Amino acid sequence: MAYVITEKCLGEQYAQCVAACPVECMYPGNYKNEPFMVIDPELCISCGACQPQCPVLAIVDSEDAAPDWAKVNKELAPQFKNNPKVTPRPANDPPKKPGHKLGG
Ligand code: SF4
């Protein structure tokens, strides 16, 4: 089981989670022409360190909690893996997309 990044990250990419991950398995990229992040399910150890770092609560704690997004994370991880790291957005930066809000 791995943690999963969901729709709330799409268009946001705060990337606050990256520094918290002990196994460096969170990668940035573009999905549907919007900035996004994924978790590599092959490497994630389900430690939970990333989850509280996300300002919009985009991370869920299992593949079962968001099976469609789990599939997206899994498919994109090999493509995003070698992308250059991105500079995190401030955690209090307002979300860019309507429907997303700080604190979930
Ligand atoms: Fe990384 Fe832990 Fe989050 Fe998995 S649960 S992505 S290992 S910080």
Side-chain angles (χ1 to χ4, degrees):
M1 275 293 167
Y3 277 51
V4 173
I5 300 182
T6 68
E7 184 276 337
K8 290 178 184 175
C9 181
L10 192 61
E12 305 297 348
Q13 199 187 56
Y14 281 90
Q16 291 279 334
C17 51
V18 176
C21 181
V23 296
E24 299 187 11
C25 70
M26 314 187 81
Y27 316 136
N30 278 289
Y31 177 55
K32 296 182 174 174
N33 295 317
E34 296 191 90
F36 188 53
M37 310 270 319
V38 296
I39 290 171
D40 187 339
E42 301 288 326
L43 299 179
C44 176
I45 57 171
S46 293
C47 71
C50 56
Q51 196 175 35
Q53 304 303 320
C54 181
V56 290
L57 306 187
I59 304 171
V60 295
D61 65 3
S62 77
E63 287 145 345
D64 289 345
D68 291 348
W69 286 98
K71 200 186 292 184
V72 172
N73 280 231
K74 184 178 175 140
E75 285 172 6
L76 294 177
Q79 300 172 38
F80 283 15
K81 192 175 185 113
N82 295 317
N83 285 345
K85 290 189 171 149
V86 294
T87 303
R89 285 169 63 195
N92 62 357
D93 196 19
K96 294 181 178 174
K97 289 177 75 177
H100 294 171
K101 59 182 194 302
L102 294 178

